[in-house]
Amino acid sequence: TMALAELATARLEGDFEAALTAADALLAEAAEHVDGPEDGTREALVRAMLGETALWAHDLIRAGEELRRAVALARAHRLDHLAVAALSSLALHDVMVFGPADEQEHGQQAIDLAARRGWSRIPQCACAHTALALHAFYDLAPERAARHLEHAQDAAAGLRRPHLDFVLAHLQARMCGADGRPRDGLRVLEDFIAVQRHRGAALRLEPVSLAATRAHL
């Protein structure tokens, strides 16, 4: 339980090294016991949490490996809620690695699975909608991009993910600029900065990216 709490905390803070230590402890402890039906559940959960942490720590190779393993395990053990979360994170990973022109299958799979289970509004869909919004924005489909961005923002409101909030604010500001409303885009960034001041230190790459987007607008 302590190791799981440490892993959850590390995920929230984007501390990949701490997450890796906690994950290793969880998996090693599980290996000491006779295989049972809960072992696959435990490993799927650990892999999903570790993969998400690696994603926000920009260890994208490890993130892809862990998230793909989490999806496979979740599907094998019929853990649909966890599969949605892992597929959703994997969709954003794909955009970061391959760019917005890459296939959209993981994001759409997450949303479709959530819809089949009546979970379309769960927070775990936030990354999937973010990835699809990025795809649509760079495909010059502003209405589709705006629709997915709205879904992503609604879903992200149920999470505590400053990394994701940053991506959403950055995308919204770029969309405002592309729509001929650069001052609205600047206001989006200022509002984001004002909220982040109450959350502690900025993310490592945040100041540079914000400055570049401000200059662009």
Side-chain angles (χ1 to χ4, degrees):
T1 301
M2 287 296 295
L4 187 59
E6 289 166 2
L7 177 55
T9 301
R11 179 181 61 169
L12 290 174
E13 296 175 351
D15 186 344
F16 179 63
E17 292 303 320
L20 186 59
T21 299
D24 286 343
L26 281 161
L27 295 174
E29 192 271 338
E32 295 176 1
H33 301 285
V34 178
D35 289 343
E38 74 281 356
D39 291 343
T41 300
R42 180 203 299 256
E43 185 175 357
L45 177 61
V46 172
R47 299 292 181 194
M49 294 175 74
L50 184 57
E52 184 187 338
T53 309
L55 175 68
W56 295 122
H58 297 280
D59 188 340
L60 298 181
I61 293 176
R62 183 65 181 271
E65 292 172 353
E66 297 295 346
L67 289 169
R68 289 187 184 92
R69 291 173 74 178
V71 169
L73 285 164
R75 284 173 167 164
H77 295 275
R78 300 182 180 180
L79 305 169
D80 287 351
H81 198 277
L82 191 57
V84 170
L87 283 166
S88 188
S89 293
L90 192 54
L92 198 52
H93 164 273
D94 291 347
V95 174
M96 290 181 177
V97 173
F98 304 112
D102 193 58
E103 295 294 330
Q104 307 173 35
E105 57 180 305
H106 291 128
Q108 197 60 55
Q109 286 173 12
I111 290 169
D112 290 346
L113 176 56
R116 288 198 300 272
R117 297 299 303 269
W119 300 336
S120 294
R121 296 182 180 274
I122 62 173
Q124 286 75 14
C125 290
C127 287
H129 281 296
T130 301
L132 292 175
L134 284 163
H135 279 289
F137 175 66
Y138 286 99
D139 280 345
L140 304 180
E143 291 183 2
R144 180 156 48 93
R147 185 171 66 253
H148 281 297
L149 177 62
E150 183 178 359
H151 289 317
Q153 290 171 328
D154 289 344
L159 296 169
R160 184 190 156 207
R161 299 287 189 277
H163 314 76
L164 181 57
D165 291 341
F166 171 67
V167 173
L168 292 172
H170 185 274
L171 175 58
Q172 185 179 3
R174 289 292 304 273
M175 288 172 63
C176 287
D179 193 39
R181 298 181 291 112
R183 292 187 183 279
D184 288 346
L186 289 170
R187 276 193 288 272
V188 168
L189 298 181
E190 292 304 323
D191 289 346
F192 170 78
I193 292 168
V195 170
Q196 288 300 94
R197 284 198 187 103
H198 299 289
R199 295 182 176 177
L203 305 173
R204 184 166 54 90
L205 301 177
E206 185 179 301
V208 174
S209 184
L210 285 171
T213 306
R214 267 207 194 102
H216 177 82
L217 291 168

